[in-house]
């Protein structure tokens, strides 16, 4: 299935809600959970989830949702996660990825990391415009969601209190280029986010790479109280 057909599969509003729910969880999702979360019947959810899988937008597997094994553990259930591939459509045809990779290769070869980060920070500040620096993690979530980062909150590593939280992002908008030039592009991404957040922000961004996620984590500044 080509990219146009795959993206067209999201035109159905129920199918799109199911896709958005599954991708937002960052884990395997069963049919019952997806149906309940989106307010549709299980049979209808199963139909659309399988359509999304056929379109290459989701991947499916099976496991026992009870967490048990052996006799009495129940039959494995079908589960879904976001597919790893990317889908893009451009009319007329454009190839910005190749241009980005060539520019990244040239910048890396010329040792222009600092210059790239400075430009990225300026771009982040320009994108923020006259808005005040982010005052808390909820504001960070709203800002980054609008940029396609798919942010979510989780407990900070080694946290002793529920209030100790960090924002992580399930999507890197620069994923394809970052895979080829990780130090260069991840550094650029960090600088861009720092510019977006604002220099006097009550939160801070730091590098904390995870497989399959954005390389940046955001937490309250050390001088802020929880």
């Amino acid at each position: 299935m080509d990219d146009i057909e795959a993206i067209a599969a999201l035109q159905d509003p129920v199918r799109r809600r199911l896709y958005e729910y599954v991708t937002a969880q960052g884990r395997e999702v069963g049919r019952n959970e997806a149906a309940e979360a989106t307010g549709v019947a299980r049979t209808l959810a199963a139909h659309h989830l399988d359509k999304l899988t056929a379109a290459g937008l989701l991947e499916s597997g099976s496991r026992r949702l009870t967490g048990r094994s052996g006799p009495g553990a129940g039959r494995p259930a079908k589960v879904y996660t976001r597919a790893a591939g990317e889908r893009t459509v451009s009319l007329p045809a454009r190839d910005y990825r190749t241009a980005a990779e060539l520019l990244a290769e040239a910048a890396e070869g010329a040792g222009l990391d600092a210059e790239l980060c400075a430009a990225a920070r300026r771009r982040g500040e320009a994108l923020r415009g006259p808005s005040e620096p982010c005052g808390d993690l909820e504001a960070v979530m709203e800002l980054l969601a609008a940029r396609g980062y798919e942010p979510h909150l989780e407990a900070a590593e080694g946290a002793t209190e529920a209030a100790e939280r960090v924002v992580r992002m399930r999507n890197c908008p620069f994923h394809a280029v970052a895979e080829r030039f990780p130090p260069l592009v991840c550094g650029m991404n960090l600088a861009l986010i720092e510019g977006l957040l604002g220099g006097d922000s009550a939160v801070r961004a730091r590098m904390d790479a995870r497989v399959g996620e954005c390389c940046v984590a955001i937490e309250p500044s050390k001088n802020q109280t929880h």
Side-chain angles (χ1 to χ4, degrees):
M1 181 175 291
D2 64 25
D3 286 1
I4 293 177
E5 292 176 325
I7 293 172
L10 295 173
Q11 185 174 1
D12 183 284
V14 173
R15 198 173 297 165
R16 182 161 185 172
R17 289 206 311 273
L18 286 162
Y19 174 78
E20 290 174 344
Y21 178 77
V22 171
T23 58
Q25 305 316 302
R27 56 173 173 78
E28 294 176 329
V29 175
R31 288 171 168 176
N32 288 342
E33 178 188 346
E36 183 177 351
T38 55
V40 300
R42 183 186 183 281
T43 53
L44 182 60
H47 167 75
H48 284 302
L49 289 167
D50 286 340
K51 286 288 187 182
L52 290 166
T53 302
L57 297 173
L58 297 180
E59 294 178 353
S60 64
S62 61
R63 67 176 176 86
R64 288 187 173 90
L65 299 179
T66 61
R68 304 194 305 270
S69 60
R75 297 174 57 188
K78 202 163 188 180
V79 292
Y80 301 85
T81 57
R82 174 163 47 195
E86 296 181 10
R87 300 286 187 172
T88 59
V89 174
S90 176
L91 296 174
R94 296 289 186 261
D95 187 9
Y96 298 113
R97 179 183 297 182
T98 296
E101 290 177 348
L102 288 171
L103 290 168
E105 183 177 354
E108 187 173 74
L112 298 176
D113 302 56
E115 289 82 357
L116 178 61
C117 287
R121 191 171 286 103
R122 290 195 299 271
R123 174 58 63 90
E125 292 168 351
L127 289 171
R128 191 180 78 252
S131 301
E132 293 294 321
C134 286
D136 53 38
L137 294 183
E138 283 67 27
V140 169
M141 296 268 289
E142 182 178 351
L143 175 70
L144 296 178
R147 303 297 306 173
Y149 282 96
E150 298 182 9
H152 65 282
L153 277 171
E154 63 179 55
E157 186 175 350
T160 57
E161 298 180 16
E164 296 179 17
R165 300 179 297 171
V166 60
V167 171
R168 297 187 182 275
M169 295 160 278
R170 294 194 174 99
N171 182 51
C172 172
F174 317 110
H175 175 72
V177 186
E179 279 195 317
R180 287 197 57 190
F181 307 94
L184 181 77
V185 178
C186 289
M188 176 200 77
N189 186 38
L190 174 62
L192 177 69
I193 291 175
E194 287 174 340
L196 282 168
L197 298 180
D200 298 323
S201 175
V203 297
R204 72 180 187 99
R206 59 179 172 84
M207 195 73 73
D208 188 13
R210 280 186 177 180
V211 176
E213 293 191 358
C214 175
C215 57
V216 176
I218 302 168
E219 60 192 7
S221 299
K222 295 300 183 183
N223 60 348
Q224 298 293 317
T225 57
H226 296 288

